[in-house]
């Protein structure tokens, strides 16, 4: 696998506040249970579902189902490879914007 530095690219799909926070929660992990993401965001199931669907429709996220220890089926959320790349690129674009706003080198 080739190590690739993020290419600054602002992504309007990711940039919406809830979707940005979803990506930030999912980026460092393989997957996270739906209820955990919902609780971290402090939103209703319907809000998380709607925001996650936008990421899924863009090819940035996916869901899977698995039975937990109690036998209850749980929904797990994760970013796709394209989603991880788009999130990293979006963060790099935000860093460049912040650097430009602060008049720091690197913000052109």
């Amino acid at each position: 696998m080739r190590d690739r530095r993020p290419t600054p690219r602002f992504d309007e799909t990711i940039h919406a506040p809830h979707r940005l926070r979803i990506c930030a929660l999912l980026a460092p992990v393989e997957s996270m249970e739906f209820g955990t993401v919902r609780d971290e965001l402090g939103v209703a199931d319907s809000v998380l579902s709607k925001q996650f669907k936008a990421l899924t429709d863009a090819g940035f996220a996916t869901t899977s189902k698995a039975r937990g220890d109690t036998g209850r089926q749980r929904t797990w959320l994760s970013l796709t490879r394209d989603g991880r790349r788009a999130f990293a690129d979006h963060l790099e674009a935000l860093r460049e914007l912040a650097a430009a706003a602060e008049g720091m080198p690197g913000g052109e």
Side-chain angles (χ1 to χ4, degrees), residues 30-51:
E30 185 176 323
S31 63
M32 189 176 287
E33 201 267 327
F34 181 94
T36 302
V37 175
R38 177 201 59 219
D39 294 347
E40 286 292 321
L41 294 177
V43 298
D45 288 359
S46 60
V47 172
L48 176 54
S49 292
K50 180 180 178 181
Q51 297 303 316

Side-chain angles (χ1 to χ4, degrees), residues 14 58-60 79-87:
I14 290 174
F60 293 160
L79 293 178
T80 62
R81 178 178 291 159
D82 287 345
R84 291 178 188 283
R85 184 175 305 122
F87 180 61

Side-chain angles (χ1 to χ4, degrees), residues 36-102:
T36 302
V37 175
R38 177 201 59 219
D39 294 347
E40 286 292 321
L41 294 177
V43 298
D45 288 359
S46 60
V47 172
L48 176 54
S49 292
K50 180 180 178 181
Q51 297 303 316
F52 197 77
K53 183 176 181 339
L55 292 170
T56 301
D57 289 348
F60 293 160
T62 189
T63 61
S64 61
K65 304 273 186 181
R67 295 215 181 270
D69 296 336
T70 62
R72 186 174 144 235
Q73 187 159 304
R74 299 169 69 173
T75 301
W76 293 85
L77 311 179
S78 60
L79 293 178
T80 62
R81 178 178 291 159
D82 287 345
R84 291 178 188 283
R85 184 175 305 122
F87 180 61
D89 292 350
H90 184 75
L91 287 180
E92 190 60 30
L94 292 177
R95 285 184 190 100
E96 284 192 359
L97 284 171
E102 295 172 354

Side-chain angles (χ1 to χ4, degrees), residues 20-34:
L20 184 60
R21 291 181 62 206
I22 292 167
C23 289
L25 286 169
L26 296 178
V29 298
E30 185 176 323
S31 63
M32 189 176 287
E33 201 267 327
F34 181 94

